[in-house]
Amino acid sequence: MSNKAPAAISDQYELWIDGEERSAGTDDRFTVVDPATEDTVADVGMASGDDVDRAVSVARDAFESWRSRPPKERVQVLTAIAAAIREQSEYLATVETMENGKPISSSRSQVERAARHFEYYAGIADKIQGESIPLSDGYVDYTIREPLGVTAHIVPWNVPIYLFARSVAPALAAGNAAVVKPAEQTPIGALELARVATEAGLPDGLLNVVPGFGAEAGAALTGHPHVNGITFTGSGPTGTAVAQSAVENVTETHLELGGKSPNVVFPDAEWEAALDGTITAIMTNAGQVCSAGSRLLVHEDIHDEFLDDLVDRAAALELGPGIDDYDMGPLVSADHLEKVQNYIDIGREEVGDPVIGGGRLDRDGYFVEPTIFDGVSHDTRIAQEEIFGPVLTVSTFADEDEAVELADATDYGLVAGIYTSDVGRAHRFARDVDAGQVYINEYYAGGNETPFGGYKQSGIGRENGVQAIDNYTQIKNVCANIDLR
Ligand code: NAI
Ligand code: MG
């Protein structure tokens, strides 16, 4: 196996199984398209159910030897993977931008986040400990935290490299073997990460990638009887289907299903921070972020002035190919463009024309303008449903109680942002709102170390932080009678 990174993205990819690139069992292939140009980037072998079977069985064998290795080996190999990602970061960032469309500077940050994720869980891999539990004198009782076995990872297309690392790093750190089904729009980053990890010393078979479509490869993996844990990130309906098939096999499942997150601005907010936060919340990655702040709730006293400034900020964003590092790139695919445009049409019917944007760019690529709808009532579809594009709804509130009420007025509960200089109010909001993360005075504050996941329909379980290790371990209690004499 070569130790050199390829100088350019290949135009042909296969599956990654047992530490090497392997052809799929059938000749079926699919193409990856550059969303900025609509050109084909590569064609990729499509995993069938049989290929998934092979990957799971290879992972099972690798797990059996990995589980009995000393934890310090896991520390060493995850540390080496982090270093290898950093060494190849420019190449990996280019892959992310070619597949997904995001600006290259964002891809660089996400690749660094992926490296940091392996580094963070390397630091935990030899500290996954049990407890001893006091009982009456005649007993000794202790717990052991054991890996699950083979874990399945269904990764979406919006931040493919980081979201791959987000669940794979803790799974490997805890001693599992992983099989990853990347999104059909963005399989290359996953295949390249598996190669980088293998070259960095990860034993063969511990990390396998089965590119393909959800209905076939995805369903075969998540419904596989020898998969012991599933981490799914994507849409609500698909997540529900995955969980339903998982329960047939009694497989532990973690779901991260997106949201309709509120961003709340009070009159005493630091003005520039609130404007920056509002734009960042919805325009980052062209709004294709599970935790995007897609609903602005602004106090009625500052609505007009804040909206004026916000529109100026949105108008100043320059759109273009991510590789040239414009402020905003295209949406990921033609299908997704159609979905977002459809929501913009729905918005026009529900509340009238947007105050800015609403169109696509007159050029190749799936570009949609930054779009803001004002005067949006909370019972409209554009205020309730995840659009996953650069489309912001604006509504007003009169007081703190109404702010919380509106913040909570969707089925989702992933994150919530608030801008105020009143410390008590900020923490009252944090206490009262239904959200897995609360950002005070800076949207997307936090990082790899902070637990992330949804209340309500936004999901089950937590990624990131020390907590994620719970997703990939099970507890065995051992109780001994020591009084037989
Ligand atoms: P999706 O939920 O259908 O796809 C996500 C992943 O699940 C992909 O890897 C896909 O291949 C896989 N998948 C699809 N069907 C499957 C099945 N039956 N069994 C196992 N895996 C399966 O999402 P899609 O269609 O790409 O996007 C639709 C909407 O979902 C977006 O517009 C957005 O609102 C939301 N979404 C949310 C994300 C998040 O970060 N929470 C990420 C991506 C999409
Ligand atoms: Mg789908």
Side-chain angles (χ1 to χ4, degrees):
M1 189 137 305
S2 146
N3 272 324
K4 285 219 180 81
I9 299 173
S10 166
D11 57 10
Q12 299 260 322
Y13 284 87
E14 309 301 330
L15 287 49
W16 190 271
I17 295 179
D18 208 9
E20 60 184 19
E21 204 167 16
R22 296 237 191 128
S23 302
T26 71
D27 294 334
D28 295 341
R29 304 187 71 79
F30 65 102
T31 53
V32 176
V33 171
D34 178 345
T37 60
E38 306 180 32
D39 295 336
T40 297
V41 175
D43 78 87
V44 182
M46 194 189 296
S48 66
D50 287 347
D51 296 310
V52 169
D53 237 15
R54 190 156 58 122
V56 171
S57 124
V58 159
R60 165 71 42 198
D61 290 346
F63 165 69
E64 292 303 340
S65 38
W66 179 240
R67 71 181 311 181
S68 54
R69 304 301 305 158
K72 69 178 178 190
E73 288 185 16
R74 307 204 292 258
V75 176
Q76 286 157 358
V77 72
L78 292 189
T79 304
I81 293 171
I85 292 173
R86 287 192 173 115
E87 262 166 39
Q88 301 192 34
S89 60
E90 196 55 30
Y91 173 66
L92 292 171
T94 308
V95 169
E96 176 103 351
T97 288
M98 291 289 281
E99 290 194 289
N100 163 272
K102 64 171 60 72
I104 188 75
S105 53
S106 310
S107 292
R108 288 183 186 121
S109 320
Q110 295 301 340
V111 169
E112 168 51 28
R113 248 184 124 191
R116 169 72 189 131
H117 219 64
F118 278 95
E119 179 178 79
Y120 179 84
Y121 289 100
I124 293 183
D126 57 350
K127 299 167 194 74
I128 301 173
Q129 299 171 165
E131 297 176 312
S132 78
I133 297 171
L135 296 172
S136 56
D137 269 2
Y139 297 92
V140 167
D141 191 286
Y142 61 96
T143 63
I144 308 172
R145 293 181 70 169
E146 297 186 336
L148 299 177
V150 177
T151 56
H153 306 256
I154 305 289
V155 177
W157 44 260
N158 56 329
V159 200
I161 288 181
Y162 165 64
L163 291 178
F164 176 112
R166 184 168 81 177
S167 63
V168 167
L172 294 176
N176 300 279
V179 180
V180 177
K181 210 298 280 172
E184 48 272 34
Q185 299 83 353
T186 58
I188 301 174
L191 291 161
E192 294 290 9
L193 272 183
R195 175 187 57 78
V196 167
T198 304
E199 288 170 4
L202 185 71
D204 292 349
L206 285 177
L207 175 52
N208 307 281
V209 180
V210 285
F213 285 84
E216 191 164 10
L221 180 59
T222 54
H224 200 289
H226 298 145
V227 161
N228 309 103
I230 297 169
T231 301
F232 173 86
T233 306
S235 66
T238 306
T240 306
V242 164
Q244 271 163 351
S245 84
V247 88
E248 303 274 325
N249 297 316
V250 199
T251 307
E252 180 165 343
T253 306
H254 316 103
L255 304 175
E256 202 267 89
L257 305 179
K260 193 73 189 176
S261 297
N263 215 7
V264 179
V265 182
F266 281 87
D268 62 356
E270 210 280 294
W271 200 256
E272 295 300 310
L275 282 169
D276 285 348
T278 305
I279 287 287
T280 300
I282 187 62
M283 301 306 170
T284 300
N285 213 19
Q288 304 163 113
V289 182
C290 49
S291 47
S294 49
R295 293 184 298 137
L296 170 65
L297 308 178
V298 59
H299 192 278
E300 57 192 17
D301 291 351
I302 57 167
H303 166 272
D304 294 358
E305 202 186 337
F306 195 78
L307 187 64
D308 279 353
D309 285 0
L310 195 66
V311 166
D312 288 347
R313 295 270 178 127
L317 294 173
E318 290 187 39
L319 274 65
I323 204 74
D324 300 324
D325 213 23
Y326 282 86
D327 300 321
M328 211 169 97
L331 297 174
V332 72
S333 66
D335 281 354
H336 193 55
L337 171 70
E338 193 183 318
K339 176 186 159 173
V340 171
Q341 284 184 305
N342 186 45
Y343 271 113
I344 292 173
D345 290 343
I346 291 169
R348 286 186 204 277
E349 280 167 30
E350 287 180 324
V351 302
D353 285 341
V355 291
I356 184 170
R360 65 177 290 194
L361 297 194
D362 183 19
R363 53 160 292 160
D364 285 346
Y366 312 124
F367 294 91
V368 167
E369 294 169 336
T371 299
I372 301 178
F373 285 101
D374 187 27
V376 180
S377 136
H378 79 268
D379 54 9
T380 55
R381 285 185 64 191
I382 59 165
Q384 289 294 327
E385 297 176 21
E386 186 176 56
I387 298 174
F388 227 61
V391 181
L392 180 70
T393 66
V394 181
S395 321
T396 56
F397 63 90
D399 58 25
E400 227 176 282
D401 287 345
E402 194 185 8
V404 173
E405 193 186 312
L406 289 176
D408 284 346
T410 75
D411 292 336
Y412 291 110
L414 192 54
V415 308
I418 179 171
Y419 305 83
T420 176
S421 49
D422 180 336
V423 173
R425 168 187 283 155
H427 290 285
R428 284 191 297 276
F429 177 81
R431 179 194 63 198
D432 293 338
V433 75
D434 288 332
Q437 284 201 338
V438 180
Y439 305 131
I440 299 174
N441 291 333
E442 183 190 323
Y443 209 84
Y444 295 135
N448 305 59
E449 304 84 352
T450 53
F452 180 85
Y455 279 42
K456 293 155 70 183
Q457 298 290 313
S458 287
I460 301 175
R462 293 293 176 272
E463 305 289 338
N464 294 358
V466 176
Q467 289 76 3
I469 292 295
D470 294 346
N471 297 349
Y472 305 103
T473 52
Q474 53 194 337
I475 292 177
K476 180 180 282 170
N477 189 77
V478 180
C479 189
N481 179 336
I482 58 165
D483 241 357
L484 298 179
R485 52 181 169 174

